[in-house]
């Protein structure tokens, strides 16, 4: 059973067209939720950690939010350089792992 | 530069070869990890080392053998691999053990192709 599900699988946006990526999770005791950005052929780059429902974090055009069942990564006025795959991962109480989703591949068209 | 360096970046090997992947972290972290990333699949945890001690082995076949000589270096020794082992192998490190809710930082990965 998938513990982390990301949607959509792929997203194409025009430059400046804001949108949101979704990460839903089913772990029983969430310890932390992480967002990463991954460019083709490279390792994931850490973006944010969220620990509790209601928490928000921002970085440039990105804002991550967390509820008890899901997280959103909001992208405001994206630019072509924001094109990448965005990965969500969670840790849960008693587990020794980061459980990753399969990612959302974002393409921003000039 | 992420602070986690992997070599080589690309590797092509035959099924009878023996090779090793190397990872070095310059962040002063105490935990290191090997992940496998295949197309259309989530990252899969392979091995975890915490203070040089292996604490997790996620049912990885014995043809993959990890080694952690110190908290800054991690190796993955490969022998008699199968074509389905072709993937991007990622090394990561974190300040403390990932179960303690700390973010992990990844290297750039080794793209492995088994022919």
């Amino acid at each position: 059973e998938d513990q982390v599900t990301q949607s959509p699988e792929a997203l194409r946006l025009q430059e400046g067209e804001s949108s949101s990526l979704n990460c839903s999770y089913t772990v029983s005791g969430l310890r932390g939720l992480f967002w990463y950005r991954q460019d083709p052929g490279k390792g994931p780059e850490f973006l944010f950690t969220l620990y509790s429902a209601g928490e928000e974090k921002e970085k440039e055009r990105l804002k991550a939010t967390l509820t008890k069942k899901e997280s959103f990564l909001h992208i405001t006025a994206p630019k072509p350089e924001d094109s990448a795959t965005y990965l969500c991962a969670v840790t849960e109480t008693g587990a020794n792992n980061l459980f990753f989703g399969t990612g959302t591949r974002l393409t921003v068209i000039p | 530069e992420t602070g986690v360096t992997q070599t080589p970046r690309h590797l092509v090997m035959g099924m009878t070869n023996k090779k090793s992947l190397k990872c070095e972290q310059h962040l002063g972290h105490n935990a290191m990890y090997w992940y496998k990333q295949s197309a259309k699949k989530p990252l899969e945890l392979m091995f975890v080392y915490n203070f040089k001690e292996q604490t997790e082995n996620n049912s990885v076949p014995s043809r993959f053998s990890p080694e952690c000589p110190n908290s800054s270096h991690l190796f993955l020794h490969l022998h008699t691999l199968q074509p389905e082992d072709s993937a991007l192998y990622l090394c990561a490190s974190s300040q403390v053990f990932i179960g303690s809710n700390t973010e992990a930082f990844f290297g750039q990965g080794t793209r492995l192709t088994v022919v």
Side-chain angles (χ1 to χ4, degrees):
Chain A
E1 180 184 345
D2 290 342
Q3 284 133 320
V4 181
T5 303
Q6 292 187 247
S7 62
E9 184 175 325
L11 180 63
R12 288 172 65 89
L13 298 174
Q14 291 290 329
E15 185 171 1
E17 179 188 1
S18 301
S19 188
S20 296
L21 313 182
N22 178 264
C23 170
S24 62
Y25 58 92
T26 57
V27 296
S28 55
L30 180 73
R31 296 200 63 175
L33 185 141
F34 305 82
W35 281 100
Y36 287 86
R37 168 193 170 127
Q38 186 174 25
D39 292 299
K42 296 189 175 182
E45 174 190 346
F46 171 73
L47 294 174
F48 304 109
T49 309
L50 301 167
Y51 295 105
S52 56
E55 189 175 0
E56 298 183 352
K57 293 270 180 78
E58 286 189 67
K59 180 180 179 180
E60 297 180 354
R61 295 177 291 282
L62 301 177
K63 179 173 148 181
T65 61
L66 181 64
T67 72
K68 288 187 177 180
K69 293 191 175 182
E70 59 191 348
S71 176
F72 291 94
L73 184 65
H74 307 278
I75 303 177
T76 303
K79 297 182 178 182
E81 54 261 41
D82 294 321
S83 298
T85 295
Y86 290 85
L87 300 171
C88 172
V90 300
T91 56
E92 64 175 340
T93 304
N96 303 321
N97 194 1
L98 265 177
F99 297 100
F100 278 88
T102 52
T104 293
R105 188 174 68 255
L106 173 67
T107 304
V108 181
I109 304 162
Chain B
E1 178 57 53
T2 65
V4 179
T5 304
Q6 290 187 243
T7 55
R9 291 294 311 278
H10 302 273
L11 178 63
V12 179
M13 60 185 289
M15 289 190 283
T16 58
N17 291 160
K18 289 185 180 182
K19 297 286 184 183
S20 295
L21 310 185
K22 179 183 176 183
C23 175
E24 182 176 2
Q25 58 97 358
H26 316 277
L27 301 169
H29 290 169
N30 295 306
M32 297 186 76
Y33 316 82
W34 281 115
Y35 279 87
K36 176 183 179 181
Q37 188 174 33
S38 304
K40 305 285 187 182
K41 291 185 179 181
L43 271 74
E44 302 171 52
L45 179 67
M46 300 175 72
F47 301 104
V48 180
Y49 279 83
N50 192 33
F51 289 96
K52 300 188 296 178
E53 297 296 321
Q54 183 176 321
T55 56
E56 290 287 328
N57 174 342
N58 262 13
S59 302
V60 180
S62 60
R63 58 186 183 268
F64 295 92
S65 175
E67 178 189 359
C68 187
N70 54 62
S71 58
S72 298
H73 292 86
L74 185 64
F75 296 89
L76 187 62
H77 303 299
L78 315 171
H79 64 96
T80 59
L81 294 190
Q82 304 298 313
E84 58 264 30
D85 296 322
S86 299
L88 183 66
Y89 287 84
L90 293 162
C91 173
S93 71
S94 60
Q95 179 63 45
V96 292
F97 192 38
I98 197 67
S100 302
N101 207 32
T102 180
E103 54 266 17
F105 293 88
F106 286 82
Q108 299 287 47
T110 295
R111 171 65 63 185
L112 174 67
T113 303
V114 181
V115 297

